[in-house]
Amino acid sequence: MKAYLQKLLQNQSLTEEEMIIAARKLFSDTISDSEIASFITALKMKGETVDEMVGIVKAVREQTLPFQNSMPGCIDNCGTGGDGSQSFNVSSTSAFVMAGAGIPVAKHGNRSISSKTGSADVLETLGIKLNITPEQNEEQLESVGITFLFAQHVQPKMGRITKVRRELGIPTIFNLIGPLTNPINLDSQVLGIYRKDFTEPFAEVLKKLGRKRAVVLNGAGSMDEASLQGENELVILENGSIRKVMLHPFDVNLPVYSNEEIRGGDAKENAEILLNVLKGEKGAYRDTVLLNAGIGIYAAGRAETIAEGVQLAAESIDTGAAYRKLQQLVEKSGKLQKAGI
């Protein structure tokens, strides 16, 4: 481990295989918290490469609880966090809208680490039970069309690293690769990142990890969600090719709002925002969700254009389908957790 750390401190990148070996050590009991902190800080200072991200993702997935991955066509939508915007939980809200549009959603997330409120915090506040088995997750996905994979539950060896990350209080490679470590074999993915310089490298990572279609985006104002404030940079992976496009809200018939207008709060406040959006309340929160869910519907191949995806997202909300998915997930997760006790 010291040799790998020394290499990073000399501004040298690790190969994919070296990163797999180093990451396995991070999950072991043979190194200290300070060594973990030193390694991930040195990696951040050097700058993470595609091979390093692919390597650490593979190592994380090695120690994840086993999933059968039996349901085809699954998508995940997740941001890396770390943008400092204090926005409400856009991707969690959008996940129910995509599910309401008929797309199976395997939402992977955690409690808050570098942001104010994590997806797990909000979904738990809404009454969704988090601690269910992989088999129950898959049953939930098949019967409801959406499930939440609680990162610290499905990846139990990440506990010590999560503690170190929380103490550091800065975005690290684990913010970057968190959305990549979903234990379900996804067909498609929407991944938001606060660093514009990483949109194309992330598309390359997703390609190496086998995604058929994906959209990596950097929102206006450097958000890790698509933003209505102005132009968003999207890098689209499709059929093995990667292309970059710019997307303005006007391109999909949505208005412009500043990022300050979609600020959230604690888990209770963000849960209320999510509920209000799914129940049809108009405004900046809803329109932001329409943009992000529309991109997800497009990424899943259910719409020919993002503009069509936005229309389908609006239908998902206005017909009540998105809200019903939330109700069904609350009910099903409660039954499954009771059955597991």
Side-chain angles (χ1 to χ4, degrees), residues 93-102 277-278 289-290 293 297 312-314 316-317 322:
T93 314
S94 301
F96 291 107
V97 178
M98 292 190 298
V277 170
L278 297 189
V289 168
L290 292 181
I297 292 168
L312 293 174
S316 176
I317 294 174

Side-chain angles (χ1 to χ4, degrees), residues 275-313:
L275 281 172
N276 289 337
V277 170
L278 297 189
K279 289 179 179 179
E281 184 177 284
K282 308 284 173 130
Y285 295 127
R286 170 192 165 103
D287 288 342
T288 300
V289 168
L290 292 181
L291 178 59
N292 283 273
I295 291 170
I297 292 168
Y298 168 76
R302 297 297 179 92
E304 292 294 323
T305 65
I306 294 173
E308 183 188 346
V310 169
Q311 292 176 345
L312 293 174

